[in-house]
Amino acid sequence: MKFIADFHTHTVASGHAFSTIQENVRAAKERGLKYVAITEHGPTVPGGPHPYYFGNMRVIPTEMYGVKVLRGVELNIQDTLGTVDLPAETIYNMDIVLAGLHPATGYEGSTIVENTEAIINAIYNPLIDIIVHPDNENYPIDIVAVVKAAKENDTFLEINNSSFANNRPGRKNSYEYCKKIVEEAKRQELMLVLGSDAHFSADVGNFELSLKLIEEVKFPPELILNTSEERIEEFLERRNKKLEKIVIPRY
Ligand SMILES: [Zn+2]
Ligand SMILES: [Zn+2]
C-alpha cells in the first residue's frame, strides 16, 4: 500500500513539537508524499499558538519542494456541544480542519455519553473535516454511533500512528481500541484517513503501525483517503464547495 499524504503534523509553533514547516515538508518529500498538512494545536493547548498565528498561515506557500502543503489546525473540542477553540471565521480559511479531545484544554467530559455527544457534535460542524485519534481510551465513545454519524456527514475518522507508539503513555490501549473502530468503519464502509501526528520531522509520513492495523483488519485500501491523488483532490474540491455555501457571521 502506497501512502501519498500525511494529514496531521506539528511544528515548533505547537509549543511541544521540534521541527519547522520546511523540515516537515522536506521530510514529506523524502517519504515520497505528494501532500502534507501542517496542523498545529488550537490555542487552548498549553504553549499552543495564538489565534493570530492561524490567520497568518496564508503566507505559507501552498507548494514546497514539489509537495502540496495544506494549511490546517487541530482544534480542541471544548464541551459536549462540540465547541472548538478558534472562531469560525479563522477556521473557515484553513485548507483542512482536524478536531479532537485533549487533556488540559478545558474539556471536562468523562462518560461514554458525554464523549460521544462531544465528538458527534463536532462531526456535525461543517467546518471540521477529520476527527483525530478517536481511539483514546481516556475518552471512550459509542463506536457504532460515531462511525454512523461520520458516514452520514462525510467526515473522516483518523487512524493516528502516534497513538500506537510505545512512548505515548497517555494512550495505552489505543491499538486495540482503534482496531474496534476500524472494524466498525469496515462494516459501515466509512472512509478513514491516516495521520502520523508527527511532532518531529522524522515521523512525517510514518504510518508503520497504522499499516499493521489496516492489514490485520483487512481494511479495504480504497476506503483510505491517503492512497489516491484522485480521492484527495475529490475530497478537497467537495469540502471547498461545501464551504462556499456557508455564511460565517462576523461580529
Ligand atoms: Zn491530538
Ligand atoms: Zn496532533
Side-chain angles (χ1 to χ4, degrees):
M1 217 178 296
K2 167 115 178 84
F3 302 116
I4 58 163
D6 188 346
F7 293 103
H8 189 166
T9 76
H10 296 273
T11 77
V12 280
S14 276
H16 58 274
F18 305 93
S19 302
T20 63
I21 291 174
Q22 280 153 300
E23 284 165 342
N24 276 12
V25 182
R26 236 180 275 131
K29 173 81 181 168
E30 280 161 22
R31 289 253 188 198
L33 302 186
K34 292 186 174 176
Y35 302 80
V36 66
I38 305 297
T39 54
E40 314 298 0
H41 287 283
T44 55
V45 155
H50 188 277
Y52 286 2
Y53 174 91
F54 297 98
N56 205 35
M57 285 181 91
R58 68 176 82 86
V59 304
I60 303 165
T62 52
E63 191 165 330
M64 291 162 72
Y65 316 118
V67 177
K68 287 186 182 164
V69 181
L70 304 176
R71 294 154 306 178
V73 57
E74 181 182 8
L75 297 166
N76 299 291
I77 300 169
Q78 303 281 280
D79 53 33
T80 54
L81 295 172
T83 307
V84 289
D85 58 345
L86 273 182
E89 62 261 37
T90 309
I91 304 167
Y92 185 82
N93 290 313
M94 303 266 118
D95 298 323
I96 192 148
V97 178
L98 284 47
L101 296 171
H102 295 94
T105 56
Y107 179 73
E108 289 177 349
S110 59
T111 66
I112 289 188
V113 172
E114 287 168 333
N115 299 333
T116 303
E117 211 176 313
I119 297 276
I120 287 182
N121 278 324
I123 284 173
Y124 276 89
N125 181 338
L127 300 174
I128 294 173
D129 302 300
I130 300 172
I131 299 296
V132 291
H133 45 70
D135 54 47
N136 191 342
E137 261 203 341
N138 297 326
Y139 303 112
I141 51 168
D142 179 335
I143 292 172
V144 175
V146 166
V147 169
K148 185 168 179 281
K151 172 86 182 175
E152 280 172 2
N153 206 55
D154 195 18
T155 305
F156 293 96
L157 299 184
E158 180 198 50
I159 304 177
N160 183 297
N161 201 75
S162 290
S163 285
F164 312 143
N166 291 334
N167 59 359
R168 192 98 195 204
R171 299 186 205 154
K172 278 203 171 65
N173 298 311
S174 277
Y175 190 87
E176 287 310 313
Y177 202 77
C178 194
K179 199 165 143 187
K180 291 182 197 166
I181 296 173
V182 176
E183 277 166 349
E184 186 56 29
K186 184 181 170 188
R187 202 181 67 78
Q188 294 194 36
E189 296 179 350
L190 172 73
M191 196 175 281
L192 297 175
V193 66
L194 303 186
S196 69
D197 202 359
H199 284 65
F200 188 69
S201 59
D203 274 330
V204 172
N206 177 5
F207 301 127
E208 202 185 333
L209 299 164
S210 306
L211 180 63
K212 184 172 169 254
L213 177 56
I214 290 162
E215 287 177 346
E216 214 177 310
V217 174
K218 296 189 172 55
F219 192 77
E222 63 273 18
L223 285 180
I224 297 170
L225 184 65
N226 311 54
T227 54
S228 151
E229 192 168 352
E230 196 187 334
R231 268 197 296 277
I232 293 168
E233 287 299 325
E234 252 174 41
F235 152 65
L236 293 172
E237 205 183 308
R238 202 163 69 233
R239 87 175 288 278
N240 291 340
K241 274 200 183 129
K242 180 174 71 175
L243 290 185
E244 275 169 21
K245 292 185 198 144
I246 297 171
V247 178
I248 304 291
R250 288 180 169 77
Y251 300 104

